[in-house]
Amino acid sequence: MAAVATMQQQLKQLVRQIIDDANKLSEMSGQITQRSALVEDGSQQQSTAATAMAASVEQLTVSINQIADHAHDAHQLSKQSGELSHEGGEVISQAVTEMRRINESVDQAAVTIAELATKTQTISSIMQVIKDIADQTNLLALNAAIEAARA
């Protein structure tokens, strides 16, 4: 039971970590969307003013680098999420295996308890027979004592 409890704690921690990683991935996605909007703005500035073209290209380059960095980070988080998901699957598989073992143990215990109940009833029957014999023996002894007293 302690191992199952420990395993449950580890599974809870793993699930929390997966949720945290998923939230981080969502934030990174939002940032990528924001950066994409900046790139779009830079492209519009290029089409409207030829003199601002150099500055827009520089902004676009900076934005692309940031997007690449964030995309790399998102990729790393996705990879970690995948690994954590795989580990979570293994933990769940182990938990299922342990639960099956526990189920088998409980089944064996139930069989043993049923056998014990049967044996207990047999012993109870034997004890009743012994008690009946003891009662009859006491009656015979009392009868013999009475007969001896008469004689």
Side-chain angles (χ1 to χ4, degrees), residues 104-121:
E104 289 172 4
S105 295
V106 168
D107 288 345
Q108 289 175 354
V111 168
T112 303
I113 289 171
E115 289 173 358
L116 183 61
T118 303
K119 290 178 182 180
T120 301
Q121 282 192 336

Side-chain angles (χ1 to χ4, degrees), residues 3-4 7-8 11 88-102:
V4 170
M7 196 170 20
Q8 285 177 341
L11 183 58
E90 289 177 1
V91 168
I92 289 171
S93 176
Q94 290 173 353
V96 167
T97 301
E98 288 299 319
M99 287 179 191
R100 285 183 182 147
R101 286 183 190 159
I102 290 169

Side-chain angles (χ1 to χ4, degrees), residues 22-134:
N23 289 338
K24 288 179 184 177
L25 183 60
S26 177
E27 289 178 23
M28 297 300 287
S29 175
Q31 290 178 357
I32 288 173
T33 302
Q34 291 174 352
R35 298 298 183 201
S36 295
L38 289 175
V39 170
E40 181 181 333
D41 290 341
S43 295
Q44 289 175 355
Q45 288 176 1
Q46 281 182 345
S47 65
T48 58
T51 56
M53 186 182 282
S56 296
V57 169
E58 186 177 330
Q59 287 178 348
L60 182 61
T61 302
V62 169
S63 294
I64 289 172
N65 286 337
Q66 289 176 344
I67 289 171
D69 289 342
H70 291 296
H72 179 71
D73 291 343
H75 174 71
Q76 291 298 326
L77 286 173
S78 295
K79 187 177 176 181
Q80 289 174 351
S81 263
E83 291 170 358
L84 290 174
S85 294
H86 179 69
E87 290 174 6
E90 289 177 1
V91 168
I92 289 171
S93 176
Q94 290 173 353
V96 167
T97 301
E98 288 299 319
M99 287 179 191
R100 285 183 182 147
R101 286 183 190 159
I102 290 169
N103 187 31
E104 289 172 4
S105 295
V106 168
D107 288 345
Q108 289 175 354
V111 168
T112 303
I113 289 171
E115 289 173 358
L116 183 61
T118 303
K119 290 178 182 180
T120 301
Q121 282 192 336
T122 303
I123 291 171
S124 177
S125 297
I126 291 170
M127 291 298 293
Q128 185 62 39
V129 168
I130 291 172
K131 182 179 179 230
D132 289 345
I133 291 172

